[in-house]
Amino acid sequence: MATIKAAILGFGTVGQGIYHILNEKREELKNKLGIELEVAKILVTDTSRERVPGTAHLMTTSMDEVLAEPGMQVVFEAIVNEEPAFTYLKRAVEHKCHVITANKVMFAKRGLELQDLAKVNGVFVGFEATTAGGVPVIKTMKNILLVNDVSRIQGVLNGTSNYILTKMRSQGWSFETALKEAQNLGYAEADPYNDISGQDAFKKLMILSALAFGEQPDWADVDVVGIDSISAEQVKEACEKGLRYRHVAEVEKLADGKVVAKVGPQLVDKEHPLYPVDDVNNAVALDTNYIGTLTLIGPGAGMYPTASVMVEDYAEIIGKRAGFVVTI
Ligand code: HSE
């Protein structure tokens, strides 16, 4: 059986999730894809801490070492910021590795550049995990866009914010208690400011904008408001009126071709498609010309939903096998 080697860059919540799923699904993936995948390197900043038993020998702090591994062909990336992630993935692509990323900060800014570079190098970029966690919005949009035009995208794109708003409403938790629990559950970013300020949802919206419209609005023109502007009192008052706060990110292509976006809390009523989207769930509503409005809902954060779509990206890439070099 042919074997290919993979690396995981970043071994936090998502990186560990990838490792677990690849181990748990090893036999099944081997049978389905006809290829054995071996995680050969795990890139971290500190090798002294063995986060998952039995992985110490795989750890390295050096991207040179990752790329020097014979047969390295797939790189999963779950690092947090733009750099060094972009530089690592650029090097991986130039090394003819397929890359699969969960890094929305990097991808919102450098995604189009990375995809162009991948095209030149004959490799694939999987980015399903950058947006809406386990919700398959990227592959669905790619499919829809083969035939339809998308005119507007409206979504709940941050699981942590939605979880906090839900728990404040349904359990009467304070903002701080709900945030702490979101952190315990592995939903929040290392710096949760990005979740609650709306910046995380904004980055995901920009990724969807680039996919749907081939462009993003000027970032400086987008009004971004977080849930930190909402008090427990406001949540309670809204609830008494039969309304719910949702943190909504939306981008639209106007009739004159201009792409405009905004991100912020909105009060929605029972008739609104985002009303039932509770807890860590995300939702993406797409307005299209032939299908009409299509809404996808599912877990938007967490170890397994996010890691799962990255392994799906891997399976899809292997399925395509375009230019794939298999090491026997
Ligand atoms: N912190 C993010 C969220 C993780 O809560 O949605 C998934 O991107």
Side-chain angles (χ1 to χ4, degrees):
M1 168 95 49
T3 301
I4 61 170
K5 289 189 184 166
I8 299 173
L9 314 185
F11 210 41
T13 305
V14 175
Q16 290 176 35
I18 297 166
Y19 185 81
H20 290 313
I21 292 178
L22 288 175
N23 271 342
E24 286 161 20
K25 290 277 168 190
R26 196 184 194 89
E27 280 307 305
E28 215 172 299
L29 285 169
K30 202 164 80 178
N31 294 337
K32 281 184 181 154
L33 302 172
I35 288 179
E36 171 132 39
L37 182 79
E38 178 194 337
V39 176
K41 291 284 173 202
I42 297 173
L43 184 89
V44 290
T45 47
D46 169 18
T47 54
S48 66
R49 205 158 52 88
E50 191 186 35
R51 294 138 177 102
V52 175
T55 56
H57 67 292
L58 303 176
M59 294 212 198
T60 176
T61 57
S62 158
M63 190 62 188
D64 289 338
E65 211 178 287
V66 169
L67 296 177
E69 176 75 24
M72 184 59 72
Q73 292 178 47
V74 178
V75 169
F76 293 94
E77 184 254 325
I79 307 178
V80 175
N81 289 317
E82 183 182 340
E83 288 296 351
F86 179 76
T87 302
Y88 287 165
L89 292 192
K90 184 170 185 277
R91 290 187 61 196
V93 162
E94 285 165 350
H95 200 79
K96 313 294 181 206
C97 288
H98 303 286
V99 299
I100 297 163
T101 179
N103 186 335
K104 52 258 164 133
V105 175
M106 177 279 296
F107 206 77
K109 204 157 156 204
R110 315 291 293 271
L112 291 172
E113 188 182 342
L114 190 67
Q115 289 176 91
D116 284 346
L117 195 68
K119 217 176 273 173
V120 171
N121 284 277
V123 293
F124 293 99
V125 179
F127 60 100
E128 185 68 67
T130 58
T131 306
V135 185
V137 60
I138 304 295
K139 55 171 79 75
T140 305
M141 269 181 73
K142 279 183 180 170
N143 243 1
I144 285 175
L145 287 164
L146 293 173
V147 178
N148 285 259
D149 292 326
V150 170
S151 53
R152 186 174 76 138
I153 302 166
Q154 197 180 35
V156 169
L157 296 178
N158 184 264
T160 301
S161 292
N162 204 44
Y163 179 86
I164 293 172
L165 290 175
T166 302
K167 294 302 180 198
M168 284 170 75
R169 186 195 79 236
S170 63
Q171 311 293 321
W173 289 1
S174 69
F175 183 95
E176 291 71 24
T177 304
L179 172 59
K180 206 160 191 305
E181 190 54 18
Q183 288 174 301
N184 289 340
L185 291 165
Y187 299 157
E189 297 300 295
D191 178 358
Y193 170 78
N194 289 315
D195 294 298
I196 61 178
S197 65
Q199 281 302 321
D200 179 79
F202 167 67
K203 301 294 183 324
K204 293 163 176 170
L205 187 70
M206 293 301 101
I207 292 170
L208 295 182
S209 176
L211 182 60
F213 308 127
E215 61 178 302
Q216 300 174 344
D218 191 333
W219 286 18
D221 292 340
V222 183
D223 196 20
V224 180
V225 180
I227 60 160
D228 44 352
S229 60
I230 302 172
S231 68
E233 198 49 46
Q234 284 174 296
V235 170
K236 194 164 164 262
E237 273 172 25
C239 189
E240 283 161 5
K241 290 182 194 152
L243 301 171
R244 289 179 181 175
Y245 276 103
R246 292 285 174 233
H247 187 255
V248 182
E250 53 185 290
V251 62
E252 185 176 4
K253 190 164 196 165
L254 303 176
D256 64 2
K258 192 169 188 258
V259 176
V260 293
K262 63 176 180 185
V263 178
Q266 291 185 19
L267 273 173
V268 299
D269 63 20
K270 272 196 177 66
E271 308 309 319
H272 196 284
L274 300 178
Y275 183 87
V277 184
D278 261 350
D279 292 306
V280 73
N281 282 324
N282 278 192
V284 181
L286 305 167
D287 289 351
T288 71
N289 55 334
Y290 290 127
I291 302 171
T293 298
L294 177 77
T295 306
L296 303 170
I297 300 174
M303 176 187 275
Y304 284 107
T306 311
S308 166
V309 297
M310 294 182 84
V311 178
E312 285 171 28
D313 272 351
Y314 157 75
E316 194 184 328
I317 288 169
I318 296 295
K320 287 180 184 156
R321 300 271 185 93
F324 214 82
V325 182
V326 174
T327 312
I328 310 286

